[in-house]
Amino acid sequence: MATTPAKPVPAALAFAVACAAVGTYAAMDVFMKALSIQSGAYGAVLWRSVAGVAISGAMFAARKGRWPGRATLRLHVLRGATAGVSVLFFFWGLARIPMAKGVALTFLAPLIALFLAAGMLGETLRRAAVWGSLVASAGVLVIAWGEVEAGASTDSVLGALAVFVASIFYAVSLILLRQQAQAADPVEVTLFTGLVVGGMLLPAAPWLAGMPAAGQWPLVIAAAVLGTVSSIGFAWAYSHAEAQVLAPVEYTAFAWAALFGWVAFEEVVTAFTIGGTALIVLGCLVAVRRAAGPVPEPEAGA
C-alpha cells in the first residue's frame, strides 16, 4: 500500500508524539525483559510477534489493506529478517544487563547506519561520520571499562556483546526502512514485520519456546500493544516532521530506561554508563551534523 503525503502539523506536536513513542517502547522493554528472564528471549520475541500480528492484522483488515506487490514484499522480508535477528540479540542481552546500559549501546545504530549507507546505497561517507565514530567508540570503551571495574560476570559481558551485535543488525534495518517507508504505510510495515519475525521463529518453537504460562500472557499482550502503539506513533511523527528535527528524541530513551529499570528491577545506573552514553550521543550528533540527506529514522516496535 503506497504512502500518501501527510498534512502539515506543528513540529512541536510531532516532537511530542515521538517522545511518547520512545517512552512507550521503553515501557515495552520492561515487559520483554521480564519475559526474557522468565522463559528466554526466543519465546518472548516469538509470542510478542504473534500477539502483535493479531493486533496489527486486525487494523490492516479494518482498513481494507491489500497484499503488497513483489518488490514491496521483498523489502518486508529483508527488513523483517534483520529486525528479527536484532530484537532476538537485544532481548537476550537485556535479560543480562541493566536496561539503561542496553539502550545506551543501541545508540550506536544510527552511526553504524551511516557507514552501511555508503556501501549499500552509494551515499558519500563524510569526514564528520568518521570523527563521530571515534567519539562514540570511546563511549563504548568507557562502558566496557565500567564492566571491568565492577568485576562483571561472564554472563553480563556476553549480554553487552549481544546488544552490540543487535545494534549492527538494527543499523541494517534502518537502511532498509528508508526504502520500505516509501512503499508501505505504518500499519502494513508493522504487520509484515511481525509476520516475518514470527515466521522465522515459529518452526523451532517446539524445541526453543514453549507456550507461555497463563500468568505470562498479560505480559505478552502488554508488550505487543505497547510495541504496536510505539511503532505507529513513530511512523506518524516521522511523516509529519523532518528526521533532523526528531532525531534527538531517540536519546530520551536512556532516561526512560534508567527510570523503568530502577522501578521494575532496582537497577542502578553507574557513572561509567552515564559517561559512555554521553560520548556515544555526542559522536552520533557530530556524525549527522549538516547531513546532506535525512537522518535514518529509528525503528520502533519491531
Side-chain angles (χ1 to χ4, degrees), residues 113-187:
L114 292 178
F115 288 86
L116 292 176
M120 296 174 64
L121 303 179
E123 296 182 1
T124 301
L125 183 63
R126 298 174 300 110
R127 183 177 299 177
V130 177
W131 283 110
S133 67
L134 294 176
V135 175
S137 297
V140 174
L141 290 176
V142 169
I143 293 176
W145 181 252
E147 293 284 307
V148 174
E149 287 292 307
S153 65
T154 301
D155 210 35
S156 177
V157 173
L158 290 176
L161 287 175
V163 172
F164 177 73
V165 172
S167 70
I168 297 175
F169 281 96
Y170 182 25
V172 176
S173 75
L174 288 178
I175 298 298
L176 294 172
L177 178 60
R178 296 179 67 181
Q179 305 170 53
Q180 188 185 31
Q182 305 300 315
D185 68 18
V187 174

Side-chain angles (χ1 to χ4, degrees), residues 182-223:
Q182 305 300 315
D185 68 18
V187 174
E188 181 181 318
V189 168
T190 301
L191 170 61
F192 279 87
T193 297
L195 283 171
V196 173
V197 174
M200 287 171 53
L201 302 182
L202 198 57
W207 299 275
L208 299 178
M211 288 288 290
Q216 292 179 323
W217 276 111
L219 300 181
V220 172
I221 294 172

